[in-house]
Amino acid sequence: MKKNFLRMLVVAFMLVYSAAASYAQRNSSIDEINRGWTGRPISGVQNGNILTLLTAFNKTWRTVPATELLAHPVTNTDDPDAYSIVVDRPNGYVSIQELGDDGEALSACVWKRTNGHKLFAVVYTRYRGVFPNTAIYLYDYDQSKGKLTPEQSELSRFKPSFGEAYGVDAVNVKLPQHGKDVVVSEYIMGWGLSITHTYVWDGMKPKLSKIEIPSYGMMENKYNNEYQFENKIRFTKYELRDFDEDNIPELWLSNENDEYQAIFSLANGKVRMLASTYYKTHFMFYPGVIGCAGGCGTGCFSATYTVLNNSLPLYSLTDMQSWDYQKDDMVSTYYKNEKQISSSEGTHLIESYGKPLDITPSMRRLRP
């Protein structure tokens, strides 16, 4: 009886051990790492060498690219049929790129912190076609304890301004092989352009320093040329919002106190100002329609509606209202694409836009 019990105990132990070993060899997906990395510190790390740190990470969160790099830790960027590998031990940087579509990539680097510790970063990317799904993991390394402790920051928490595009968060994170800056690029569907976020090293962590929106200077000039203010207006905030729900967002810019605003289309990389306001006017929103309205002088009121189709202006409608002293009432004159149309047509078009939408933007800073 005792022998049978011991035999069963040994078999059970071997099954558990086998399952554990099998799990240890299983590769971790980005989703699995994202869910669990902050709750799993890594112990027994002997030194702060970049390959030692990556080995410790890969034992906890095994990935194909890290395993391949650690098996061949030598720079090789010339083999077109396998992986492009960079191993720069003096600068504390490694990277591996699987060539071809639907591959994976991984990079890692380490910085020296002012408190005597080190900050270790891993960027893991899974491609779907040419579009990257990327996550970044940061750890504090305390050599006195031989421990990697997960550390969240504004960099590791980065989320795209417009959520998912192409079914993934289309973000690329470039860790520094030379220098200390981290550059995050978010690709915007339909723009053919990306918004760039640069994080500079402050001695302890990368800190957001600047955000660069493509063609921003052109947009600022278009707005200022429209109004010819005495002092040039500078926008300080932005939001990406898909007003016509075609999966291509428009860019909403605002100054600090929201008195001066503009909405632009960047479809196909071309800048178009769809609507704008200043301190005497305001935006109006309908499904697929951006409007602006306000006073245009004594006894004068104007409202302009821009109807969108695939992020481009389909047409604009202007309702110019002026006071008729003989009728003792406001009278509307309608213009479609700057050509006058009948009152019945103008009224019908406005009614076709449906009920107005209550939209409050959630702006991000342009200049941290």
Side-chain angles (χ1 to χ4, degrees):
M1 186 73 175
K2 289 184 178 180
K3 289 183 178 180
N4 289 337
F5 176 76
L6 289 175
R7 186 179 296 111
M8 292 173 61
L9 191 63
V10 169
V11 170
F13 174 80
M14 293 301 295
L15 288 173
V16 171
Y17 178 84
S18 176
S22 174
Y23 179 83
Q25 294 301 311
R26 187 174 64 83
N27 293 321
S28 303
S29 69
I30 284 183
D31 291 339
E32 286 176 321
I33 304 174
N34 289 346
R35 287 193 297 267
W37 76 278
T38 56
R40 293 186 67 177
I42 303 171
S43 301
V45 187
Q46 295 180 352
N47 59 62
N49 177 282
I50 185 64
L51 291 177
T52 303
L53 296 174
L54 182 60
T55 299
F57 175 84
N58 198 50
K59 286 181 178 178
T60 302
W61 303 106
R62 182 184 172 89
T63 67
V64 171
T67 302
E68 290 288 338
L69 186 149
L70 291 168
H72 310 281
V74 178
T75 296
N76 175 17
T77 59
D78 301 325
D79 187 348
D81 298 320
Y83 293 89
S84 174
I85 298 175
V86 175
V87 177
D88 187 347
R89 301 188 195 204
N91 285 314
Y93 173 87
V94 295
S95 68
I96 178 168
Q97 171 76 51
E98 185 177 2
L99 303 176
D101 293 345
D102 295 322
E104 295 184 332
L106 184 141
S107 59
C109 73
V110 60
W111 295 266
K112 293 181 180 179
R113 309 184 98 166
T114 54
N115 65 354
H117 292 199
K118 291 184 178 181
L119 183 68
F120 174 56
V122 176
V123 171
Y124 182 30
T125 300
R126 181 75 175 89
Y127 286 92
R128 298 183 185 178
V130 297
F131 306 115
N133 185 13
T134 299
I136 182 166
Y137 313 110
L138 300 177
Y139 291 85
D140 174 79
Y141 175 60
D142 183 350
Q143 186 162 347
S144 66
K145 297 179 180 179
K147 187 175 183 180
L148 283 166
T149 302
E151 183 172 298
Q152 287 275 28
S153 73
E154 59 180 338
L155 176 58
S156 63
R157 293 190 183 98
F158 179 88
K159 294 295 181 184
S161 308
F162 186 57
E164 287 194 349
Y166 317 100
V168 299
D169 288 340
V171 173
N172 180 63
V173 181
K174 185 173 178 58
L175 294 177
Q177 179 180 358
H178 306 287
K180 295 185 176 182
D181 294 353
V182 179
V183 179
V184 179
S185 300
E186 53 174 322
Y187 301 95
I188 310 301
M189 185 174 184
W191 283 18
L193 303 164
S194 63
I195 297 178
T196 302
H197 308 254
T198 301
Y199 293 79
V200 301
W201 181 250
D202 71 356
M204 285 294 291
K205 62 185 182 301
K207 185 176 181 180
L208 184 61
S209 174
K210 63 180 178 180
I211 299 172
E212 297 172 280
I213 296 178
S215 303
Y216 169 79
M218 185 183 298
M219 288 182 276
E220 193 175 82
N221 288 336
K222 280 181 177 288
Y223 181 86
N224 283 282
N225 291 338
E226 176 80 13
Y227 290 100
Q228 296 294 314
F229 294 120
E230 183 177 348
N231 297 316
K232 186 176 182 179
I233 299 301
R234 300 296 306 276
F235 297 117
T236 61
K237 298 179 288 186
Y238 78 98
E239 185 191 53
L240 299 183
R241 183 178 288 267
D242 187 4
F243 288 100
D244 58 345
E245 298 184 349
D246 63 347
N247 292 320
I248 303 174
E250 286 69 54
L251 177 66
W252 189 346
L253 296 173
S254 177
N255 78 323
E256 195 62 31
N257 60 10
D258 300 325
E259 288 188 340
Y260 304 91
Q261 301 188 42
I263 297 174
F264 291 88
S265 164
L266 275 76
N268 303 319
K270 186 175 182 180
V271 176
R272 300 172 180 85
M273 189 164 71
L274 301 174
S276 61
T277 66
Y278 69 113
Y279 62 92
K280 291 184 178 180
T281 58
H282 63 275
F283 282 130
M284 307 177 297
F285 301 104
Y286 300 81
V289 180
I290 302 172
C292 57
C296 51
T298 303
C300 176
F301 179 85
S302 176
T304 299
Y305 306 84
T306 300
V307 180
L308 301 182
N309 181 41
N310 293 327
S311 293
L312 301 177
L314 184 63
Y315 69 86
S316 65
L317 175 70
T318 299
D319 175 7
M320 185 68 70
Q321 300 179 19
S322 58
W323 187 260
D324 188 323
Y325 290 94
Q326 293 183 344
K327 295 182 178 180
D328 195 28
D329 196 6
M330 294 291 286
V331 176
S332 288
T333 304
Y334 296 96
Y335 300 87
K336 185 178 181 181
N337 291 337
E338 300 183 352
K339 293 183 178 181
Q340 187 172 346
I341 60 175
S342 66
S343 294
S344 60
E345 183 180 358
T347 302
H348 173 73
L349 286 173
I350 292 175
E351 289 176 349
S352 71
Y353 302 152
K355 294 183 179 181
L357 304 174
D358 184 14
I359 294 179
T360 301
S362 179
M363 294 282 185
R364 290 191 177 193
R365 307 292 305 179
L366 263 174
R367 300 172 187 86

